């Protein structure tokens, strides 16, 4: 028997989450069983801990969209008992039981070997949010972003993706402008390397002007909605925006003018179904380009029993940085 956070749904359609003891036989099918060390709390996790947000179809369910740990048993030729591994994406924690458990069973093809120089706890301080941030930065670089091009805007900067993106960009020599609706987070963002703090109110209203002053050489946007529409009109000629989230809504009340007159690029960043080679590249870059001291400053520790409350907090925008869940505590 081992512990897991199990979400159940009653006949009235109401969900509830609590820590329960389960057995290996209850785990879903897969060719690798992992003794989990750590998981994290992401926006999707908040949805899956609560109502399911349309992501969870079958109950009982174990959320947790990412985890790290040690291979305990394997029928996959790429992994042996004792290997350290990390998992993000592949709808684990949504359609497949996830990392809020002391053991997980998954397809070996979904795993990535833990990069040298990163401990399992650090890997979950990175987690899906940090992995997504690295993919977003790589996409901007692949489209020509360089530090000398000018400032890079990070929306939702105090959140998980934004925090890691800010730290990496600053470490790479970029001038980072962090957008936040929480003024009390200014010192936190500056400690990660942000040179400029932009109040959310400056960007979250639409404007009738399709183009404004060319301000940003790049942008990592975790908000979407009105803010993304506004930012598109402020990008420099040929600049790119990496879209990673929709905390401000899935709509995009924009025009095509920034694309046609300034050659702006809107780059969609998906972390869930990324090919294996891209995953390796991103994790290798994280090991090299993310300053671990700044990473540690983002981390809040939690246990399985803390998760129901934390799931609600992240949906309400009340979580700063990264939460690392010690599933064995």
């Amino acid at each position: 028997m081992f512990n897991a956070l199990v979400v159940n749904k009653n006949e009235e359609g109401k969900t509830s989450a609590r820590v329960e003891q389960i057995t290996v036989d209850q785990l879903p099918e897969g060719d690798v069983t992992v003794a989990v060390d750590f998981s994290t709390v992401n926006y999707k996790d908040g949805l899956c801990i609560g109502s399911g947000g349309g992501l969870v179809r079958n109950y009982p369910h174990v959320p947790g969209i990412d985890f790290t740990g040690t291979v305990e048993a394997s029928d996959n030729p790429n992994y042996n008992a004792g290997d350290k591994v990390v998992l993000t994406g592949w709808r684990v924690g949504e359609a497949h039981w996830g990392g809020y458990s002391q053991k997980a069973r998954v397809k070996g093809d979904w795993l990535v070997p833990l990069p040298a120089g990163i401990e399992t706890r650090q890997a979950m301080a990175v987690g899906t949010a940090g992995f997504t941030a690295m993919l977003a930065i790589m996409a901007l670089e692949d489209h020509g972003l360089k530090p000398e091009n000018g400032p890079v805007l990070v929306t939702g900067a105090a959140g998980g993706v934004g925090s890691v993106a800010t730290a990496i960009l600053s470490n790479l020599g970029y001038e980072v402008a962090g957008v936040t609706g929480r003024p009390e987070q200014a010192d936190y963002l500056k400690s990660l390397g942000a040179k400029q703090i932009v109040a959310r109110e400056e960007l979250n209203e639409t404007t009738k002007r399709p183009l404004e002053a060319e301000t940003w050489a790049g942008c990592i946007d975790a908000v979407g909605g009105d803010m993304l529409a506004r930012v598109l009109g402020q990008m420099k000629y040929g600049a790119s925006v990496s879209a990673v989230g929709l905390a401000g809504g899935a709509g995009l009340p924009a025009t095509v003018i920034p694309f046609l007159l300034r050659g702006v690029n809107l780059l969609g960043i998906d972390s869930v179904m990324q090919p294996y080679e891209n995953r390796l590249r991103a994790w290798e870059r994280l090991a090299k380009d993310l300053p671990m001291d700044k990473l540690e400053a983002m981390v809040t520790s939690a246990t399985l029993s803390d998760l129901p409350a934390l799931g609600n907090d992240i949906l309400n925008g009340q979580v700063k940085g990264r939460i690392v869940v010690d599933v064995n505590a």
Side-chain angles (χ1 to χ4, degrees), residues 38-46 64-68 86-88 100 120-134 156-168 182 185 188-189 192 271 283 286 290-302 307 310 314 318-326:
F38 299 97
S39 186
T40 60
V41 180
N42 302 277
Y43 192 84
K44 279 186 178 180
D45 293 317
I65 69 170
D66 49 19
F67 63 80
T68 53
V86 58
L87 182 143
T88 60
Y100 291 165
T120 54
R121 183 177 182 276
Q122 292 174 324
M124 280 300 96
V126 174
T128 290
F131 176 65
T132 303
M134 192 72 250
V161 177
S163 293
V164 179
T166 298
I168 295 173
R182 295 177 279 174
Q185 302 300 344
Y188 166 73
L189 291 174
L192 297 180
S271 67
W283 278 105
L286 283 161
L290 175 58
M292 291 301 165
D293 58 334
K294 290 184 179 179
L295 179 67
E296 185 59 36
M298 304 176 200
V299 173
T300 301
S301 296
L307 288 169
L310 289 171
I314 199 165
Q318 299 302 311
V319 167
K320 178 184 76 173
R322 303 288 296 128
I323 296 175
V324 174
V325 182
D326 184 346

Side-chain angles (χ1 to χ4, degrees), residues 43 155-157 159 200 221-228 244-251 314-317:
Y43 192 84
T155 71
R200 181 194 298 162
D221 174 61
V223 177
D226 292 344
M227 186 175 294
L228 174 56
V244 303
L246 43 64
I314 199 165
L315 294 180
N316 291 319

Side-chain angles (χ1 to χ4, degrees), residues 159-240:
V161 177
S163 293
V164 179
T166 298
I168 295 173
L169 287 166
S170 175
N171 191 51
L172 292 172
Y174 290 93
E175 178 186 342
V176 181
V179 182
T180 181
R182 295 177 279 174
E184 69 275 11
Q185 302 300 344
D187 289 342
Y188 166 73
L189 291 174
K190 289 177 180 178
S191 75
L192 297 180
K195 293 292 190 291
Q196 181 182 351
I197 307 299
V198 180
R200 181 194 298 162
E201 292 73 23
E202 295 182 27
L203 293 174
N204 67 357
E205 292 184 7
T206 55
T207 175
K208 292 182 179 180
R209 291 178 293 167
L211 294 175
E212 299 182 72
E214 296 184 44
T215 306
W216 315 113
C219 174
I220 295 176
D221 174 61
V223 177
D226 292 344
M227 186 175 294
L228 174 56
R230 185 78 182 272
V231 167
L232 287 169
Q234 298 180 356
M235 302 306 295
K236 291 188 175 185
Y237 188 90
S240 300

Side-chain angles (χ1 to χ4, degrees), residues 37 43 77 83-84 116 175 217 233 290 303:
D37 289 342
Y43 192 84
D83 290 348
K84 300 290 186 180
E175 178 186 342
L290 175 58
T303 66

Side-chain angles (χ1 to χ4, degrees), residues 217-294:
C219 174
I220 295 176
D221 174 61
V223 177
D226 292 344
M227 186 175 294
L228 174 56
R230 185 78 182 272
V231 167
L232 287 169
Q234 298 180 356
M235 302 306 295
K236 291 188 175 185
Y237 188 90
S240 300
V241 177
S242 286
V244 303
L246 43 64
L252 185 58
T255 75
V256 298
I257 299 300
F259 309 118
L260 301 182
L261 298 188
R262 284 193 185 157
V264 171
N265 304 297
L266 180 58
L267 312 175
I269 306 301
D270 167 63
S271 67
V272 177
M273 307 302 289
Q274 278 289 321
Y276 181 76
E277 293 74 15
N278 286 356
R279 292 175 181 274
L280 281 182
R281 179 184 169 210
W283 278 105
E284 288 167 359
R285 285 288 305 274
L286 283 161
K288 178 169 65 78
D289 295 330
L290 175 58
M292 291 301 165
D293 58 334
K294 290 184 179 179

